[in-house]
Amino acid sequence: MNSTDMAQEKSFRDIQVSSSEIGVRTIALNDLWQSLKEGYDDFSAMPTFGMLLSALLYLLFALLLTLFLVGTSPLHLAFPIVAGFTLIGPVVSVGLFEVSRRRERGLDVTWRSTFDFVHSASFAPILALTLAMMLLYVAWLFSAEFLFFGLFGDDPPVSASDFVTQLLTTRRGGALIFYGNLLGFIFAFAALAISVVAFPLLLDRPASAATAVAVSIRAVTSNLVVMAVWGLIVVVLLIAGAVVFLIGLAAVLPILGHATWHLYRKIVV
């Protein structure tokens, strides 16, 4: 990037915007497919970067799983830990959003330039939103544990096989599946509403975290059916990527990250 481009980027990022200045479009289901195609193009142009971020997500997963499982072996938290990663996926995808943003604007895309936002006005609100998403993740884990002990507190499973047996054959196991999925849906929808537009917006325009969240919620409520389908697509692709020992996620995660940027560009004016 030459000095003129750098000056334009700095000037662009230093102009504060409010929620009322940001418009939201109504999109169609076809826009989701188009976003996925554009996300695949971005991934194909720089696959190594996306795969590295996927590896980072794996490391975070391994760390959290170790912290929760060492010593006490809470089997009931294994699924919530894995499923909850959809809540913090946007946090890990910030670098992918920046790759797509820079490619779209014709700026240079290197490992170093991709993280230039750390030195910009965007970093503080991105950090604030990241902390909020992490708190949401922790709240999900605590809620899942509270639900489990509310149903199994007096007689918890003593082994993995016992847990699976009770989960599939007992009334309280059925209740755990039903209410656990309902609870997960609520948290997943909250995460989608808060972050799907907010993180890309903070890279694209220098807004506060509160402004970005407000616009994201407005974008989701204005496109409720389409965004619900998008959430379903994300879940299906993540499950498909995880089927083969999580190997497929190395491609699925970055493609979804890039696609989210293009979806943002279609929604926000």
Side-chain angles (χ1 to χ4, degrees):
M1 186 192 305
N2 58 40
S3 58
T4 301
D5 287 337
M6 292 179 64
Q8 290 175 342
E9 278 285 287
K10 184 176 185 302
S11 175
F12 179 79
R13 289 178 180 272
D14 286 344
I15 301 173
Q16 190 68 237
V17 295
S18 64
S19 176
S20 60
E21 298 176 278
I22 303 173
V24 170
R25 297 187 185 96
T26 299
I27 61 173
L29 292 175
N30 185 59
D31 291 311
L32 303 182
W33 172 245
Q34 186 63 33
S35 296
L36 285 171
K37 288 170 58 179
E38 293 167 345
Y40 177 77
D41 290 340
D42 286 345
F43 171 69
S44 299
M46 201 172 179
T48 307
F49 183 82
M51 290 181 178
L52 180 64
L53 285 183
S54 296
L56 174 61
L57 187 60
Y58 293 154
L59 289 174
L60 287 174
F61 164 74
L63 175 61
L64 284 173
L65 194 61
T66 300
L67 289 175
F68 275 92
L69 295 184
V70 167
T72 57
S73 297
L75 299 172
H76 59 281
L77 283 180
F79 176 75
I81 288 173
V82 177
F85 261 75
T86 58
L87 304 181
I88 58 175
V91 175
V92 184
S93 297
V94 171
L96 300 170
F97 301 154
E98 180 67 359
V99 168
S100 295
R101 187 188 77 86
R102 297 183 75 85
R103 289 193 74 228
E104 181 182 275
R105 294 181 176 276
L107 302 173
D108 63 309
V109 182
T110 64
W111 290 92
R112 182 175 180 179
S113 65
T114 301
F115 294 98
D116 278 348
F117 71 88
V118 173
H119 306 291
S120 73
S122 300
F123 181 66
I126 287 175
L127 181 60
L129 188 55
T130 296
L131 292 175
M133 296 302 293
M134 293 300 295
L135 288 175
L136 187 66
Y137 181 64
V138 172
W140 154 246
L141 294 181
F142 274 107
S143 298
E145 183 154 7
F146 180 80
L147 176 62
F148 174 81
F149 282 110
L151 294 170
F152 288 83
D154 295 332
D155 184 26
V158 295
S159 65
S161 60
D162 183 33
F163 176 65
V164 173
T165 299
Q166 291 198 44
L167 191 66
L168 299 178
T169 62
T170 66
R171 188 172 182 177
R172 59 182 178 178
L176 181 63
I177 293 175
F178 176 79
Y179 290 112
N181 281 302
L182 179 61
L183 191 63
F185 171 80
I186 293 172
F187 273 92
F189 182 80
L192 177 72
I194 290 171
S195 66
V196 67
V197 164
F199 279 106
L201 175 62
L202 290 173
L203 285 174
D204 192 34
R205 308 181 191 186
S208 66
T211 294
V213 170
V215 173
S216 188
I217 293 174
R218 181 153 50 93
V220 170
T221 55
S222 298
N223 297 277
L224 199 55
V225 174
V226 177
M227 295 308 293
V229 173
W230 175 249
L232 181 61
I233 289 173
V234 170
V235 171
V236 170
L237 288 179
L238 288 176
I239 292 175
V243 167
V244 189
F245 303 104
L246 303 179
I247 295 174
L249 292 179
V252 170
L253 288 173
I255 290 174
L256 286 174
H258 291 303
T260 299
W261 167 264
H262 294 289
L263 183 62
Y264 153 77
R265 294 289 290 142
K266 290 173 173 55
I267 296 177
V268 173
V269 180

